[in-house]
Amino acid sequence: TLSCDDGDPCTVDTCSPVDGCAHAPAPAGMSCSDGDMCNGAEVCNAAGRCVAGTAPACDDGNPCTTDTCSPTGGCTSTPVTTGTACSDGDACNGTETCNASGMCVAGMAPSCDDSNPCTSDRCDRVMGCQHPPVLGGAPCSDGNACNGDETCDGAGRCAAGTPVTCAPSTTACRVNTCDPMTGRCAL
């Protein structure tokens, strides 16, 4: 017996006692395989050829993995080196790095305190630490009680109030001065 199988999945193989083997194109769209998982699901075209489909999207969207495609295994994702920088889009949870499992983990949250009593310290997920000024008139202190009761000026600065005026000394050898700690006049 004559074997007419040409090994091509995109042909219909027949044998005729008169003509012998014939290989007609298989119906277009019929599934076939070229053994390469990285070039998509193959189908037969109208000419009887096995053509590649759309390649698989192997990107898993994880910055902590390297994504590859193997012709026999398809898509694989392998963790990158531990400590590789990554981002989860949140500036308020610290500098993120990849761990050994291929996960992006948060670092230490930033300290947004700018030590200025005339700003409101907060963290924005996108912009990070922000220091908008508080409303004008809010109390603040510059550590000098002799320059009056300080208040915030509305632009993020602590402005001095009305300074303490010490009466002149009655003795020529002494000067009446203000104590910056207490705000009181003393000789």
Side-chain angles (χ1 to χ4, degrees), residues 2 7 29 32 35-36 78 86 88-89 102 107 109 112 122 130 132 138 161 165 168 173 185:
L2 181 65
C32 59
D36 186 350
T78 307
C86 58
D88 64 3
C112 291
R122 61 184 176 84
Q130 301 292 302
T165 304
C173 293
C185 295

Side-chain angles (χ1 to χ4, degrees), residues 20 40 73 75 88 103 115 141 144:
C75 294
D88 64 3
M103 303 285 294
S115 300
S141 175
N144 182 357

Side-chain angles (χ1 to χ4, degrees), residues 132-177:
V134 297
L135 295 175
C140 59
S141 175
D142 64 3
N144 182 357
C146 294
N147 64 3
D149 292 330
E150 298 85 15
T151 56
C152 296
D153 66 0
R157 293 181 300 264
C158 188
T162 304
V164 174
T165 304
C166 295
S169 175
T170 56
T171 310
C173 293
R174 294 189 162 194
V175 177
N176 216 4
T177 60

Side-chain angles (χ1 to χ4, degrees), residues 9-187:
C10 289
T11 60
V12 176
D13 305 320
T14 59
C15 183
S16 163
V18 176
D19 297 328
C21 291
H23 310 286
M30 188 169 136
S31 179
C32 59
S33 176
D34 64 1
D36 186 350
M37 295 178 77
C38 295
N39 64 2
E42 298 82 15
V43 293
C44 297
N45 67 12
R49 301 275 187 255
C50 187
V51 293
T54 303
C58 290
D59 184 1
D60 63 3
N62 181 350
C64 292
T65 60
T66 299
D67 306 311
T68 58
C69 189
S70 159
T72 56
C75 294
T76 58
S77 298
T78 307
V80 298
T81 305
T82 300
T84 300
C86 58
S87 177
D88 64 3
D90 186 351
C92 297
N93 65 0
T95 302
E96 298 87 10
T97 56
C98 298
N99 69 10
S101 300
M103 303 285 294
C104 188
V105 293
M108 183 175 290
S111 171
C112 291
D113 185 4
D114 65 358
S115 300
N116 181 348
C118 292
T119 61
S120 175
D121 304 321
R122 61 184 176 84
C123 191
D124 178 85
R125 290 177 54 93
V126 176
M127 303 294 290
C129 290
Q130 301 292 302
H131 310 285
V134 297
L135 295 175
C140 59
S141 175
D142 64 3
N144 182 357
C146 294
N147 64 3
D149 292 330
E150 298 85 15
T151 56
C152 296
D153 66 0
R157 293 181 300 264
C158 188
T162 304
V164 174
T165 304
C166 295
S169 175
T170 56
T171 310
C173 293
R174 294 189 162 194
V175 177
N176 216 4
T177 60
C178 180
D179 180 348
M181 296 300 289
T182 64
R184 293 193 177 130
C185 295
L187 294 176

